[in-house]
Amino acid sequence: MSQPKYEQPDPNLDLILERVVDVSPELVWAAWTKPEHIKKWFTPIPWKTVECEIDLRPGGMFRTVMQSPEGQNLPTNEGCYLEVVENRKLVWTTALAPGFRPRNIANYPFAFTAIITLEPHGSGTKYVARVLHTDVEGRKKHEEMGFHAGWGKALDQLVALAKTM
Amino acid sequence: MSQPKYEQPDPNLDLILERVVDVSPELVWAAWTKPEHIKKWFTPIPWKTVECEIDLRPGGMFRTVMQSPEGQNLPTNEGCYLEVVENRKLVWTTALAPGFRPRNIANYPFAFTAIITLEPHGSGTKYVARVLHTDVEGRKKHEEMGFHAGWGKALDQLVALAKTM
């Protein structure tokens, strides 16, 4: 089955983190979908994720609150899940509020949709996080904010946590 | 199971067309999901829908081109399907491009998500079209453009077509 053009990665608009990790897809999935786990790995230390709420189904809420190293809480992030395929694929966006309502994204530097895919790889997982932006400017802003270092460090934390689970 | 607050209709932000129609959910579903049917009912006459492309799955494309009574084609509309439950529920949005990519909606008067639900009602269907907007301004603009008359007339056309199917 050929993939339509609009589902193929676009290097101008997408940022991708791809890595083989030595924990199973089931553990990576658990880390991504349980609030008590998200709070332990989602934000690169010394930042923290101090609140998390998950309603794991299309249209459901993915809510987090981050805290700066100085102890200040940032505004709440409320994303919306789009696709939930247990142990294999998780899609959520900041462009819609929970319940699929379009969001006014003019107040944000950029909106994105994250597509996390997990594929068994030996006893580990081929992990791909593809992050889709509206336009080149959005992709650049996210890249300059430190996407690769940030998402990479968070993944290190996820893997370290998964090994204790 | 209680419905979360973010899934409950909000009269300030939503427009709703609700009607019992005397054709089955299966026929209404077919009318909504086959391009050859969409072209016959989707746009209140004398407007026309002259092109339609449907990739019926979450993330898939819902593309239409409308033509004015003067014969001029409008810019292409490309929406993204979000939820597809055969014969019961169809959700799509203009806030995302196909493939779940966030769209720059600053160039449009408003973005919306449409939630079409079909429920068997005798030999007919309880039809509910709930259209979710970002803010009160978006809802008002859509209302002033003639949402109720337009979606109502299109539904009349859908029912008339379904009776010939």
Side-chain angles (χ1 to χ4, degrees), chain A residues 6 14 55 100-101 113 133, chain B residues 6 14 55 100-101 113 133:
Chain A
Y6 55 78
D14 301 345
D55 181 5
F100 294 132
R101 184 179 300 285
T113 295
H133 303 83
Chain B
Y6 55 79
D14 301 346
D55 182 4
F100 294 133
R101 184 180 300 285
T113 295
H133 303 84

Side-chain angles (χ1 to χ4, degrees), chain B:
Chain B
M1 199 173 67
S2 75
Q3 197 182 30
K5 185 153 185 281
Y6 55 79
E7 287 190 340
Q8 293 165 15
D10 180 336
N12 287 313
L13 302 178
D14 301 346
L15 293 170
I16 294 182
L17 174 70
E18 181 175 329
R19 199 194 292 176
V20 172
V21 296
D22 58 351
V23 290
S24 69
E26 289 70 22
L27 288 177
V28 178
W29 182 261
W32 259 105
T33 56
K34 304 269 187 200
E36 66 269 27
H37 297 328
I38 287 275
K39 287 192 215 170
K40 291 186 187 144
W41 72 265
F42 196 56
T43 330
I45 290 169
W47 289 75
K48 287 181 188 167
T49 298
V50 291
E51 293 181 30
C52 178
E53 199 179 337
I54 286 178
D55 182 4
L56 194 63
R57 61 200 169 100
M61 173 187 278
F62 177 38
R63 188 179 76 85
T64 55
V65 175
M66 299 186 186
Q67 191 177 80
S68 75
E70 294 75 32
Q72 192 180 3
N73 285 5
L74 271 64
T76 299
N77 291 306
E78 278 193 5
C80 180
Y81 289 110
L82 297 173
E83 223 182 319
V84 178
V85 184
E86 198 177 357
N87 299 328
R88 291 295 177 267
K89 189 179 185 189
L90 185 64
V91 184
W92 53 280
T93 190
T94 68
L96 299 178
F100 294 133
R101 184 180 300 285
R103 165 172 286 154
N104 186 346
I105 54 179
N107 299 328
Y108 298 85
F110 53 85
F112 67 85
T113 295
I115 302 179
I116 313 295
T117 51
L118 311 176
E119 200 181 293
H121 190 279
S123 59
T125 303
K126 182 181 163 192
Y127 177 97
V128 181
R130 179 177 159 228
V131 180
L132 292 70
H133 303 84
T134 308
D135 47 29
V136 173
E137 291 62 39
R139 190 263 300 162
K140 279 189 180 162
K141 277 185 198 165
H142 204 171
E143 199 164 17
E144 284 159 12
M145 274 178 57
F147 169 82
H148 290 285
W151 283 58
K153 191 168 171 187
L155 180 57
D156 292 341
Q157 296 176 175
L158 181 158
V159 171
L161 172 68
K163 288 180 178 176
T164 70
M165 275 157 57

